[in-house]
Amino acid sequence: MAHITDPIQRDHEEHHVIPPRNYVIVFGLLVVLTILTVLAANFQFGGLLNEVVALGIATMKASLVILFFMHVRYSTPLLRLVVAAGFIFFGIMVLFTMADFVSRDWRSTPPRQIVAPVEQAPPPVTEPTLGPQPTQAVGQDEVRPRGTVNPGR
Amino acid sequence: MADTHAAQAAASGTTTTGTPTSAMSGSDTHFGAGYAVSAGSTAHGAHARAHQFDTPQQQYAASNLGMWIFLATEVMTFGGFFLAYIVYRALYPETFALASPHQSATWGTINTFALILSSLTMALAVHAAQTGNRRRLTMFLGFTIALACVFLVVKSIEYTTHIEENLWIGSQNFHMERPAGEIVDPEAARVDLDSTVQQGRAKIFFFLYWTMTGLHGFHVLIGIVLLSALLINNLRKVYSENYYTPVEMTGLYWHFVDLVWIFLFPLLYLLGGAHWHI
Amino acid sequence: MATVSTPIGEPIRRPERRVRLTYLNNGYGLRSWLFTLDHKRIAWLYLITITVAFMVGSIEATLIRLELLTPAGDLVQAENYSKLFTMHGITMIFLFLVPSIPAVLGNFFIPMMVGARDVAFPRLNLLSWYVYMLGALFLLAVMLLGGTDTGWTFYTPLSTTNYTQNVVPAAMGILIVGFSSILTGLNFLVTIHKMRAPGLTWFKMQLFLWSLYATSLIQVLATPVLAITLLLVAVERTLRVGIFDPALGGDPILFQHMFWFYSHPAVYIMILPGMGVISELISAFTRRNVFGYRFVAASSVAIAIYGFLVWGHHLFVAGQSVYSAMVFSVLSFFVAIPSAIKVFNWTATLYKASVWLQTPMLYAIGFIGLFVVGGLTGLFLAALATDVALSDTYFVVAHFHYVMVGGMLLAYLGGLHYWWPKMTGRMYPEFLGKLAAITVFLGFNLTFFPQFVAGALGMNRRYYSYDSSYQIYNVLSTAGSTILGVGFILPLFYLTWSLKFGKLAPDNPWGSAGLEWQSPTPPPPENFEEQPVVLHGPHHYTRKEVTVG
């Protein structure tokens, strides 16, 4: 019955024995990246670059852990798909939610005035928009209308 | 009943599909259209195989896939928190920049090292299990548990400090002071931190801080329980180079706990600049 | 591979035994059921508990309908009315619809359809039932405490204010039930991936397996987000923090994003399994493979994944960005494609087929009609402009009841009748079955079709009183719900009756080609007496008619 595909045999997975030396090398890289991320934290890159650098290093560290410590580099395509699925669906969630938050005030907000001194900040001018608006927070130090995302400082 | 079977079997005999029925029919027992019975495939494999599996390999593959799917759900679990963090950080970057220096980079860095070192010892523990070295497995599991405990101890020191600084979100007198030192955010200087609005935003940061680290700490605690169970089982000589799936699965879980911390550390501790205090 | 050789065309003769060992006589007593690891017995545990949940939810629905018979608040007042519709929603969605087909029919038949002895993780399977029970106890406690009144959606900031009651235990109950759903989904995914019999490749799998695979994907990937969302609400309410409270800098729309990131895909948890059952029924009662099998199979997975991209259509009037709403609106329209693929392929299967109108098939045909109505009215709600007018009216209520009751519940009942002989070894009374199926169909339409009209005319949902001009539709609806109730009570009685007094069922009363029918009735503890090997595609029938045994 050799021609009958046996799903069990097809999906056969092996245990991968990786020499301990490789683990130590990966650990070394993780240490270096940790030091790098701490050093980079006190440096003003400008714009969103601080976040990009911090998350970039974190992603590199995470990839090292996933690929080597968790053996994904040596595993079946199915397992890689499962790993990817978790992150892809998280990405979808963030992407669409943020799409709402960044585009919410395109119609109603005049050009942003971040530089306006705190005490004299004028009440935000808003045109009426569709649907109910979230209640405005009461306070004197509104730097800008809430709901506006700060694109690069 | 018998009629049905006969009809079904007759049906399978008259098929014209490309499947190899007719070729097979001499040697296989048909029951129903298109199914055959093969005897002998239920031969019992080695030890520790649950009855629903055919082979230990199948059982291992199932456990491995199950564990990874579980980790995918964990990604989504923490993902909910990360989404909230991203949204509020985008809305209130200056408040968040003022809030994160309240986390000590000293303790954070120590804990990061503790966790990545424990990941290394866990990987080495799995290697020891793969090579059937019980003594080394005991040793590395012990190291991992010890480092996990170090993490929790440091975390509780941090929590205590936060509670003393009125940063516990359930507290009536929650109040976030302006942190000492330079804030890596040009807008932070302009913020009037004593206003109710800013305190509300600070409270959102600390809400995320407490819940995210709390859930992560809970995972570390579960990890300690699992690792201890492995340690006890290993002392009872349960694992060998032929059977160590639980060690490997717990290993995956433990690396995931490390993974979450790798993201929590920069987001909660560093994004206003690394502030070294105890 | 060693094989048993029997002349072709002759049925298998099982070894003669006075009493054959089946999963039903494999141990008696409460212990053997409550601590069983057999997926078939766990399915029964679920069947009993979700039936109880369904009855509780139905009583709540009955009270709602009675209150709405007259425009004034005669039976209950505003506060209790809010509690009634909230508890109706929570009970029906989390305790009945989400576990219904997956946890009962899926649990029973997935291992049999893949030709396995059990699910991949039997202990996890039992655990998920206990977790479900724990969550159900929380929700029961909420009911005894007087219920919660936020709506099943727990929208903030209402749910974090003092005006509402028992929010924390309700949220915890749903969180726990959610974990049960995750464990079930995980188990099914691994079972379908790793436990398939030799020869059972992906495109030889029955369509029920495909749809439950897709369902499990959603359960695993979306449910954790619901858990976190409800956890945040509970913490916010307990500690008075303002993560979703605009007065404290939070954003209530973030709650809606997170909630619907789960709950929109969850809508597909509540319809995909039904679609799988219908594919099985149509195939079995027309003696054909489902037309366009590969497309129907792939469309299940497509719906599951695509369902993650459209949640924003629940936020059209909530204050979401207009641009975001436009994108979500366009994306929502595209869900119609995989759904339509299924409907067209089912009807193409029926075309010129000799349809055998047994009870399950009546449910299947009813499903197609009602699902089409439910699906098409969804397009009105996906369109931005019409949604502004229709949002929060009875049009929405009618729309999702057409999908969930007209779709999922009919499929569940159809599937239950179809597999009842296999599950119990007894036939249900066919005449009563048909009578009930027709009663349910008529009662359902009379209940919910007038709600479309009332909603289109502007009647708001979630109010205990209404303008008297809407009364005629509400009277019709309440009358319909009485008929619907009769249609539900009938199966409850005759199915219970048939457990003891029903005709003994043959192994395969429908002459179905499904792998689950190839085992003896009722199945032995390990499902098959020998390991099956799959040689054919699914739903493999020839033109030759098969008569009932």
Side-chain angles (χ1 to χ4, degrees):
Chain A
M1 227 182 252
H3 55 278
I4 291 182
T5 332
D6 188 341
I8 298 154
Q9 280 164 17
R10 197 193 48 216
D11 286 347
H12 183 67
E13 278 153 52
E14 286 166 38
H15 302 263
H16 285 274
V17 187
I18 302 163
R21 199 167 54 89
N22 291 18
Y23 290 133
V24 177
I25 294 171
V26 172
F27 171 73
L29 285 172
L30 287 174
V31 169
V32 171
L33 287 171
T34 307
I35 294 170
L36 214 59
T37 195
V38 172
L39 292 180
N42 276 336
F43 190 79
Q44 179 76 49
F45 291 100
L48 280 173
L49 270 181
N50 274 57
E51 284 87 338
V52 171
V53 169
L55 288 178
I57 294 175
T59 311
M60 282 202 287
K61 286 165 72 180
S63 312
L64 283 174
V65 172
I66 291 175
L67 289 176
F68 295 97
F69 282 172
M70 296 168 99
H71 298 182
V72 169
R73 193 172 184 287
Y74 313 96
S75 61
T76 58
L78 173 65
L79 282 189
R80 292 180 197 197
L81 187 67
V82 175
V83 179
F87 292 102
I88 289 171
F89 282 88
F90 169 64
I92 290 173
M93 181 166 76
V94 173
L95 184 76
F96 280 75
T97 308
M98 286 313 287
D100 168 27
F101 278 89
V102 298
S103 66
R104 206 178 275 176
D105 292 303
W106 283 356
R107 251 159 45 92
S108 58
T109 319
R112 276 186 46 242
Q113 304 159 310
I114 315 174
V115 204
V118 177
E119 294 80 14
Q120 304 141 19
V125 188
T126 45
E127 306 168 9
T129 45
L130 276 179
Q133 294 286 309
T135 324
Q136 285 283 337
V138 193
Q140 286 80 46
D141 69 337
E142 278 287 316
V143 176
R144 57 174 175 273
R146 61 172 306 283
T148 315
V149 170
N150 180 10
R153 286 160 267 137
Chain B
M1 190 192 306
D3 287 350
T4 318
H5 269 319
Q8 290 285 316
S12 75
T14 55
T15 52
T16 50
T17 48
T19 43
T21 328
S22 33
M24 302 295 307
S25 52
S27 57
D28 279 321
T29 307
H30 283 260
F31 66 118
Y35 303 109
V37 180
S38 75
S41 59
T42 49
H44 286 259
H47 61 102
R49 178 183 59 78
H51 82 108
Q52 70 271 26
F53 295 109
D54 287 324
T55 57
Q57 287 81 14
Q58 186 192 16
Q59 179 165 11
Y60 167 73
S63 306
N64 202 18
L65 179 64
M67 192 65 206
W68 274 105
I69 294 175
F70 170 71
L71 293 184
T73 71
E74 288 275 47
V75 170
M76 296 307 286
T77 309
F78 281 98
F81 280 124
F82 279 109
L83 174 70
Y85 180 92
I86 292 168
V87 166
Y88 287 119
R89 199 188 145 70
L91 289 178
Y92 314 128
E94 62 289 323
T95 319
F96 273 44
L98 281 166
S100 60
H102 285 276
Q103 277 63 255
S104 152
T106 321
W107 290 128
T109 314
I110 291 173
N111 259 354
T112 308
F113 280 122
L115 274 193
I116 57 180
L117 188 59
S118 78
S119 245
L120 174 70
T121 55
M122 190 67 227
L124 293 174
V126 172
H127 182 265
Q130 283 173 329
T131 48
N133 191 330
R134 282 214 185 92
R135 245 196 55 226
R136 278 169 63 99
L137 178 56
T138 309
M139 186 177 82
F140 283 124
L141 284 176
F143 278 147
T144 314
I145 295 171
L147 286 163
C149 292
V150 168
F151 178 89
L152 283 186
V153 168
V154 171
K155 200 75 218 134
S156 33
I157 293 172
E158 288 185 80
Y159 280 160
T160 322
T161 322
H162 282 128
I163 291 170
E164 281 167 5
E165 290 173 0
N166 284 329
L167 293 173
W168 163 242
I169 42 168
S171 157
Q172 291 290 315
N173 355 300
F174 175 90
H175 188 83
M176 189 178 91
E177 305 283 334
R178 182 175 285 275
E182 199 194 337
I183 308 299
V184 186
D185 188 314
E187 258 186 73
R190 279 197 281 276
V191 173
D192 170 23
L193 205 50
D194 289 327
S195 68
T196 26
V197 170
Q198 288 300 335
Q199 285 300 321
R201 293 171 184 181
K203 212 167 173 182
I204 288 180
F205 176 90
F206 277 97
F207 181 97
L208 291 167
Y209 167 78
W210 284 98
T211 44
M212 285 167 111
T213 56
L215 188 67
H216 178 260
F218 179 68
H219 277 76
V220 174
L221 206 62
I222 299 280
I224 291 175
V225 173
L226 294 175
L227 290 165
S228 310
L230 288 183
L231 191 64
I232 292 165
N233 274 344
N234 187 48
L235 292 175
R236 290 164 54 208
K237 297 190 171 37
V238 172
Y239 308 119
S240 66
E241 64 258 57
N242 295 320
Y243 175 70
Y244 54 87
T245 311
V247 183
E248 217 173 333
M249 298 306 121
T250 313
L252 289 178
Y253 173 86
W254 190 252
H255 296 311
F256 176 79
V257 171
D258 182 26
L259 209 66
V260 174
W261 184 256
I262 284 176
F263 284 99
L264 287 182
F265 176 54
L267 291 181
L268 296 175
Y269 285 73
L270 296 180
L271 277 176
H275 288 237
W276 306 89
H277 51 86
I278 288 179
Chain C
M1 194 181 290
T3 47
V4 187
S5 135
T6 315
I8 184 170
E10 205 163 290
I12 294 198
R13 305 229 175 273
R14 286 188 297 281
E16 288 295 328
R17 227 181 280 159
R18 186 150 296 176
V19 180
R20 191 170 56 81
L21 185 67
T22 71
Y23 83 100
L24 289 170
N25 63 20
N26 181 25
Y28 297 93
L30 209 57
R31 261 182 80 89
S32 75
W33 282 88
L34 287 180
F35 296 102
T36 180
L37 295 180
D38 189 331
H39 65 100
K40 299 182 283 300
R41 287 187 166 210
I42 295 170
W44 273 101
L45 295 178
Y46 270 114
L47 177 62
I48 293 161
T49 43
I50 71 163
T51 307
V52 173
F54 180 72
M55 287 195 276
V56 173
S58 302
I59 291 168
E60 287 152 356
T62 311
L63 291 173
I64 292 172
R65 278 317 327 159
L66 280 177
E67 161 54 35
L68 291 177
L69 194 56
T70 57
D74 304 323
L75 185 65
V76 290
Q77 289 300 313
E79 223 171 79
N80 287 331
Y81 183 79
S82 300
K83 287 177 179 169
L84 273 179
F85 73 69
T86 303
M87 293 318 290
H88 169 68
I90 291 176
T91 316
M92 283 303 199
I93 289 171
F94 294 108
L95 294 183
F96 176 72
L97 278 171
V98 169
S100 62
I101 291 181
V104 178
L105 299 175
N107 231 330
F108 202 105
F109 292 106
I110 285 179
M112 297 186 73
M113 285 180 183
V114 299
R117 286 184 284 277
D118 206 322
V119 292
F121 309 116
R123 265 179 289 196
L124 206 61
N125 202 10
L126 182 64
L127 176 71
S128 79
W129 182 72
Y130 277 102
V131 173
Y132 169 86
M133 288 305 283
L134 182 67
L137 281 179
F138 267 79
L139 293 174
L140 187 69
V142 170
M143 271 176 228
L144 295 178
L145 288 169
T148 181
D149 49 1
T150 59
W152 77 278
T153 47
F154 290 98
Y155 268 16
T156 53
L158 176 66
S159 61
T160 49
T161 57
N162 281 330
Y163 303 116
T164 50
Q165 291 144 29
N166 301 324
V167 175
V168 174
M172 288 303 106
I174 292 171
L175 188 151
I176 295 168
V177 172
F179 278 113
S180 154
S181 175
I182 293 175
L183 295 180
T184 308
L186 191 153
N187 222 334
F188 289 170
L189 284 180
V190 178
T191 306
I192 293 174
H193 265 290
K194 296 294 175 195
M195 308 290 283
R196 280 173 289 138
L200 186 55
T201 52
W202 281 91
F203 283 112
K204 282 183 185 168
M205 289 194 335
Q206 285 165 253
L207 287 168
F208 184 69
L209 286 179
W210 273 100
S211 71
L212 275 167
Y213 182 80
T215 312
S216 306
L217 279 180
I218 305 174
Q219 287 180 317
V220 162
L221 288 168
T223 320
V225 180
L226 174 79
I228 287 307
T229 315
L230 293 177
L231 192 69
L232 289 179
V233 169
V235 177
E236 166 160 356
R237 201 183 153 92
T238 321
L239 299 182
R240 302 275 155 220
V241 205
I243 190 159
F244 296 129
D245 185 351
L248 294 168
D251 191 323
I253 298 178
L254 176 65
F255 170 85
Q256 298 188 20
H257 275 295
M258 291 172 75
F259 180 82
W260 288 110
F261 180 83
Y262 163 77
S263 293
H264 191 76
V267 169
Y268 299 114
I269 297 179
M270 295 179 241
I271 189 65
L272 274 169
M275 293 170 158
V277 170
I278 297 307
S279 300
E280 292 294 320
L281 297 184
I282 286 180
S283 166
F285 291 97
T286 58
R287 321 245 140 246
R288 286 175 164 191
N289 191 1
V290 171
F291 182 83
Y293 160 82
R294 280 178 183 239
F295 284 91
V296 178
S299 66
S300 292
V301 181
I303 290 178
I305 293 173
Y306 202 78
F308 280 92
L309 306 178
V310 298
W311 78 81
H313 64 226
H314 296 271
L315 282 65
F316 282 167
V317 295
Q320 177 186 226
S321 136
V322 196
Y323 304 94
S324 200
M326 287 175 193
V327 173
F328 276 125
S329 172
V330 172
L331 289 174
S332 302
F333 275 104
F334 286 117
V335 184
I337 297 171
S339 313
I341 286 177
K342 282 181 188 285
V343 172
F344 285 129
N345 282 315
W346 290 328
T347 37
T349 315
L350 291 171
Y351 180 65
K352 284 193 173 176
S354 62
V355 180
W356 192 20
L357 282 177
Q358 294 296 88
T359 309
M361 193 57 189
L362 291 182
Y363 281 112
I365 290 174
F367 173 98
I368 298 179
L370 299 182
F371 176 70
V372 167
V373 176
L376 287 179
T377 49
L379 294 180
F380 292 77
L381 299 170
L384 267 175
T386 45
D387 183 70
V388 173
L390 292 173
S391 197
D392 280 333
T393 66
Y394 261 83
F395 191 88
V396 180
V397 176
H399 156 69
F400 69 73
H401 279 90
Y402 261 79
V403 178
M404 287 181 189
V405 184
M408 187 69 162
L409 189 58
L410 255 61
Y412 172 68
L413 286 174
L416 202 60
H417 282 83
Y418 173 64
W419 281 302
W420 192 254
K422 180 58 65 185
M423 292 169 78
T424 61
R426 302 275 179 170
M427 298 299 290
Y428 60 87
E430 188 61 44
F431 173 74
L432 284 175
K434 283 180 178 155
L435 186 70
I438 292 167
T439 314
V440 167
F441 183 79
L442 295 178
F444 173 80
N445 280 300
L446 188 56
T447 311
F448 291 104
F449 199 82
Q451 297 186 0
F452 276 127
V453 184
L457 292 173
M459 180 176 162
N460 268 312
R461 66 190 282 210
R462 294 184 166 175
Y463 284 92
Y464 71 109
S465 73
Y466 52 86
D467 187 82
S468 56
S469 61
Y470 301 122
Q471 190 173 10
I472 175 69
Y473 309 109
N474 283 291
V475 170
L476 284 175
S477 187
T478 304
S481 68
T482 316
I483 301 173
L484 191 60
V486 173
F488 290 146
I489 290 169
L490 264 176
L492 183 69
F493 280 109
Y494 68 71
L495 286 180
T496 317
W497 173 87
S498 76
L499 283 177
K500 192 149 174 65
F501 305 104
K503 224 169 45 169
L504 278 178
D507 280 359
N508 190 354
W510 320 116
S512 170
L515 184 49
E516 79 276 18
W517 290 102
Q518 314 307 325
S519 111
T521 291
E526 292 200 330
N527 296 340
F528 297 93
E529 292 180 341
E530 287 152 293
Q531 171 70 54
V533 175
V534 181
L535 304 173
H536 275 292
H539 316 298
H540 186 88
Y541 298 92
T542 56
R543 285 173 185 281
K544 198 169 158 34
E545 279 298 318
V546 182
T547 45
V548 207

